[in-house]
Amino acid sequence: MFTGIITDIGTILELEQRGDLRARIGTSYDTKTVDIGASIACNGVCLTAIALGEGWFDVQISAESVAKTNISTWLKGGRVNLERALKVGDELGGHIVSGHVDGVAKITAMKDEGDSTRVTLEAPKDLARFIAPKGSVALNGTSLTVNEVEGTSFGINFIPHTKEATTWGAAQVGDLINLEIDTLARYVARLAETA
């Protein structure tokens, strides 16, 4: 379980296909406080630390995770949003995020508005119904509030702090973005279907 509040930006140090894809991710986390088997959200994908060293951790990524997320676009030297798993008693500053990506959205437009940036994304058709104005989504692991929705398009506003503390400052039109819909929205939709 995560909150969508990014606590580090990692760097992809190595990518190697060994049956499954294996990635080494550089981090500023004190890896002496990370256990083998710990869950770390990497661009919103809950992955398991399988090896650790000073300033890095390794994860093994299944073909299913590669197929359902933007991991296929990862490159050596690329940067990823990181969040360690929520602990009992931690502040829940974003919203409840599982790290189970539902699909991939695409950035279709970006426009500066003052110091902030308005980003428009296109959601997969089957997920768009779960996205509502003023609702929450996790995009590349970042907990964000939806500004507006029109069909399968939705807009997000990024303040300067978010652009600096995450990889969003380097986002570009055409980028593929991991999308996790709000768990509450999923249950509300399910209740509406069965009522």
Side-chain angles (χ1 to χ4, degrees):
M1 200 64 72
F2 305 93
T3 66
I5 303 299
I6 303 306
T7 53
D8 190 23
I9 298 175
T11 301
I12 299 167
L13 303 175
E14 296 176 20
L15 287 168
E16 183 181 358
Q17 194 71 48
R18 292 189 200 174
D20 287 334
L21 180 64
R22 187 167 171 149
R24 176 162 293 174
I25 299 173
T27 182
S28 64
Y29 292 148
D30 178 358
T31 53
K32 292 179 186 130
T33 67
V34 177
D35 294 328
I36 297 291
S39 294
I40 301 175
C42 303
N43 262 6
V45 183
C46 179
L47 298 173
T48 302
I50 61 167
L52 300 161
E54 190 172 335
W56 60 267
F57 62 93
D58 284 356
V59 292
Q60 189 170 2
I61 309 163
S62 71
E64 172 78 3
S65 292
V66 173
K68 300 287 185 186
T69 68
N70 68 7
I71 291 173
S72 63
T73 68
W74 286 11
L75 298 171
K76 188 175 176 181
R79 294 167 14 116
V80 291
N81 293 321
L82 299 178
E83 182 187 359
R84 292 181 66 178
L86 184 64
K87 294 180 184 141
V88 173
D90 283 353
E91 180 179 333
L92 185 60
H95 71 283
I96 295 175
V97 176
S98 69
H100 302 155
V101 171
D102 294 296
V104 177
K106 184 177 184 177
I107 297 177
T108 57
M110 297 179 73
K111 177 183 171 187
D112 288 334
E113 295 180 352
D115 294 330
S116 297
T117 303
R118 178 72 57 127
V119 176
T120 303
L121 299 103
E122 186 75 19
K125 188 175 182 182
D126 62 327
L127 298 177
R129 68 188 183 107
F130 296 107
I131 301 172
K134 305 307 173 202
S136 296
V137 291
L139 297 174
N140 278 353
T142 311
S143 174
L144 296 160
T145 301
V146 176
N147 287 335
E148 69 277 337
V149 177
E150 187 174 325
T152 56
S153 290
F154 66 100
I156 304 286
N157 192 55
F158 290 91
I159 62 171
H161 172 77
T162 304
K163 292 188 289 184
E164 292 167 13
T166 69
T167 61
W168 283 102
Q172 297 179 11
V173 171
D175 285 355
L176 300 178
I177 306 297
N178 290 327
L179 167 64
E180 181 182 330
I181 59 172
D182 186 21
T183 300
L184 182 58
R186 184 189 313 274
Y187 284 113
V188 169
R190 181 67 179 142
L191 284 170
E193 288 173 2
T194 60

